Amino acid sequence: MTQTAHGVEFNQQLSATPKSAEERAAILANPGFGNYFTDHTAVVDYSVNEQGEGGWHTARVEAYGPISLDPSAAVLHYGQEIFEGLKAYRHADGSIWTFRPEANAARLNKSARRLALPELPEEYFLGAIRELVQADKEWVPAGEGEALYLRPFMIATEAFLGVRAAREVSFRVIASPAGNYFGGELKPVSIWISREYARAGRGGTGAAKCGGNYAASLIAQQEAEANGCKQVLFLDHFNDDAVEELGGMNVFFVMKDGSLVTPALSGTILEGVTRMSVMQVAKDMGREVTERKITLDEWRDGVASGEITEVFACGTAAVITPIGVLKDTTEFIGSADAAAGETTMAIREQLLGIQTGTAPDTHGWLTRLA
Ligand SMILES: Cc1ncc(COP(=O)(O)O)c(C=O)c1O
C-alpha cells in the first residue's frame, strides 16, 4: 500500500510481528527514556552518481529492526551522521500532535550542510514523521509528562573508505515512548562544570546536531555522574569561561527584575527548538529576553548577590528542568535544597500546556499527526 503524506508517497510494509496490546501496555506502564522502540521505522534513501545525479527515493514505512550496513559504510569510520529529536503528544481528545517540526526539519538541514550530507526536503521530513506516527499511533502514551519521542537521523551508508562526502545516505525515523527524562518528580538538578573538556570549538560542529558532538561529551558526562550530577555544563575556556550549554540542553537565567538571559548563539551552541520557544513564551508573558555572553563569574556572583534568582535548562527530552547547584571541585554555586523557581515553573507550564493542548497555540506551533 502507498500513502501520500505532504505530497510524498511512502510505501507501507507493515510489521508482520508487531508487539501485542499486552506487551505494549507493559512497556507504556513505565517507558523511561529511550529504552523501547515502536513496531515501525520510516526510511528515505538517497543516492547520487559521480556527476551528482540522483536524489532522495524509496520512501517507506517498514518494520523496526537492525539495519544492514556494509562494514566499510562511511558512517562507521568518519562519523558522517546527524540527528534530530522531537515529540508526539496525545491530547485529551485522543488526537496526536507534534511541536514545531518545521524547526527540526530546518535544523536537520543546517546540520546536513555542516556535515556535507544532502539536505532533506521538508515534505520528506514531515511525511516520515506523520507516516510513522500513524502506523504506531497506539504507542503514543497519554499520561502526564509522557510523549512519543521521535528520533530522525541521517547516516552515510556508502561502502567506501576514501575521505569524502558519501554519495549514498539513508534518512530514518525511529520512535520511543518516553516518560519523565530525569525520572520522578521535578526536582532541581545538580550540574557539573567541565573544566577539562569542551564539546565544541570555533569552526567546529557545535551548532550542528551530529553524533560526534555527543561522543565528545560522554567523558565529561561520566565525570559529572561520578560526582553525583545529572548533566555537565560546557564553558568556552578561551572566552572568559562563557557559559555555553549542557550536554543536551540550553541554559536560561532569570534575573531579579524578571527578565531572562540566555547565552548568545556563538557557533558552538546548538540552537534548541525549546530555547527559541522559551524566548517567545517569556516575551508573551511580558518579560524581556536577552541573548548575550554570560560568564561563569557572572553566574557565581549573580547567585550570591541575588541578581540571578533562577537558572534552568531546556530541551525537548526534559522540557524545562530547574538547576539547583552548579559545582566542581572548586565551585559550589546555588543550594542543594533549592526548590523549583516560580518563573521556571510558569514557563514550563505554559510550554507544556501548548504542547499538550491545554493552553492556546497562539503561534501555530502544533501540527496534527493523527
Ligand atoms: C547539545 C544540545 N543543546 C540543546 C538541546 C536542546 O534542543 P531542543 O530544544 O531542540 O531539544 C539539545 C537537544 O536536542 C542538545 O542536544
Side-chain angles (χ1 to χ4, degrees):
M1 188 176 97
T2 55
Q3 292 236 11
T4 305
H6 287 90
V8 177
E9 298 231 313
F10 278 75
N11 197 275
Q12 304 262 326
Q13 301 154 10
L14 295 188
S15 171
T17 55
K19 291 259 187 321
S20 69
E22 292 74 34
E23 287 172 301
R24 199 173 55 235
I27 290 171
L28 292 182
N30 186 17
F33 186 87
N35 298 322
Y36 303 99
F37 298 90
T38 63
D39 295 311
H40 296 94
T41 175
V43 188
V44 192
D45 289 325
Y46 172 94
S47 35
V48 288
N49 62 19
E50 272 179 48
Q51 286 71 46
E53 295 158 343
W56 292 100
H57 59 87
T58 328
R60 61 199 186 272
V61 170
E62 60 186 30
Y64 182 93
I67 300 174
S68 174
L69 273 183
D70 195 286
S72 66
V75 65
L76 302 177
H77 302 272
Y78 310 124
Q80 206 188 354
E81 186 267 359
I82 56 175
F83 66 99
E84 271 303 321
L86 67 169
K87 282 176 171 171
Y89 306 88
R90 191 179 288 283
H91 287 188
D93 65 357
S95 59
I96 301 168
W97 302 75
T98 192
F99 184 72
R100 307 190 76 176
E102 311 80 13
N104 294 94
R107 189 172 65 185
L108 181 86
N109 282 340
K110 187 176 171 195
S111 302
R113 288 192 291 276
R114 181 63 185 83
L115 273 283
L117 281 161
E119 291 186 42
L120 180 77
E122 188 185 74
E123 59 269 27
Y124 279 102
F125 185 92
L126 299 179
I129 283 166
R130 178 169 300 196
E131 292 291 299
L132 178 60
V133 169
Q134 287 190 354
D136 285 333
K137 53 179 176 291
E138 308 300 335
W139 284 91
V140 182
E144 202 185 324
E146 296 179 340
L148 184 67
Y149 182 78
L150 303 170
R151 167 53 60 84
F153 63 106
M154 195 190 288
I155 53 174
T157 51
E158 185 179 355
F160 175 68
L161 284 187
V163 183
R164 62 151 167 76
R167 299 191 189 115
E168 284 171 31
V169 168
S170 186
F171 170 74
R172 290 168 180 262
V173 188
I174 56 175
S176 175
N180 187 320
Y181 189 72
F182 287 125
E185 68 192 285
L186 189 71
K187 277 209 328 250
V189 294
S190 296
I191 305 291
W192 183 254
I193 304 168
S194 179
R195 296 281 184 183
E196 191 174 347
Y197 307 108
R199 76 179 270 291
R202 304 232 179 109
T205 55
K209 200 163 169 64
C210 61
N213 290 346
Y214 298 81
S217 75
L218 294 179
I219 189 170
Q221 179 67 25
Q222 280 180 331
E223 197 179 271
E225 285 168 19
N227 286 282
C229 293
K230 293 273 190 195
Q231 274 259 339
V232 59
L233 172 74
F234 290 103
L235 301 169
D236 185 345
H237 302 302
F238 303 99
N239 182 22
D240 308 324
D241 280 345
V243 172
E244 298 220 299
E245 60 183 325
L246 307 188
M249 288 193 266
N250 297 114
V251 183
F252 277 86
F253 299 84
V254 181
M255 313 306 277
K256 190 171 64 185
D257 65 2
S259 67
L260 269 70
V261 174
T262 191
L265 300 174
S266 57
T268 54
I269 295 175
L270 188 79
E271 183 175 13
V273 177
T274 319
R275 176 185 182 276
M276 56 175 104
S277 308
V278 164
M279 292 200 291
Q280 185 61 53
V281 163
K283 285 178 192 163
D284 292 346
M285 291 173 162
R287 291 173 189 272
E288 196 184 309
V289 184
T290 312
E291 297 171 79
R292 66 165 168 86
K293 174 176 166 182
I294 179 160
T295 63
L296 179 63
D297 285 346
E298 185 178 348
W299 188 334
R300 181 196 318 107
D301 299 347
V303 169
S305 70
E307 189 58 34
I308 294 172
T309 56
E310 301 173 32
V311 190
F312 65 86
C314 70
T316 297
V319 197
I320 287 178
T321 302
I323 296 177
V325 171
L326 177 70
K327 66 175 184 178
D328 72 348
T329 50
T330 58
E331 294 274 6
F332 191 97
I333 304 172
S335 143
D337 50 13
E342 245 174 65
T343 302
T344 302
M345 294 312 284
I347 293 173
R348 180 184 158 90
E349 207 165 292
Q350 177 64 10
L351 192 57
L352 270 174
I354 297 170
Q355 291 170 334
T356 57
T358 60
D361 174 25
T362 54
H363 296 286
W365 283 343
L366 296 186
T367 294
R368 185 161 183 179
L369 296 176

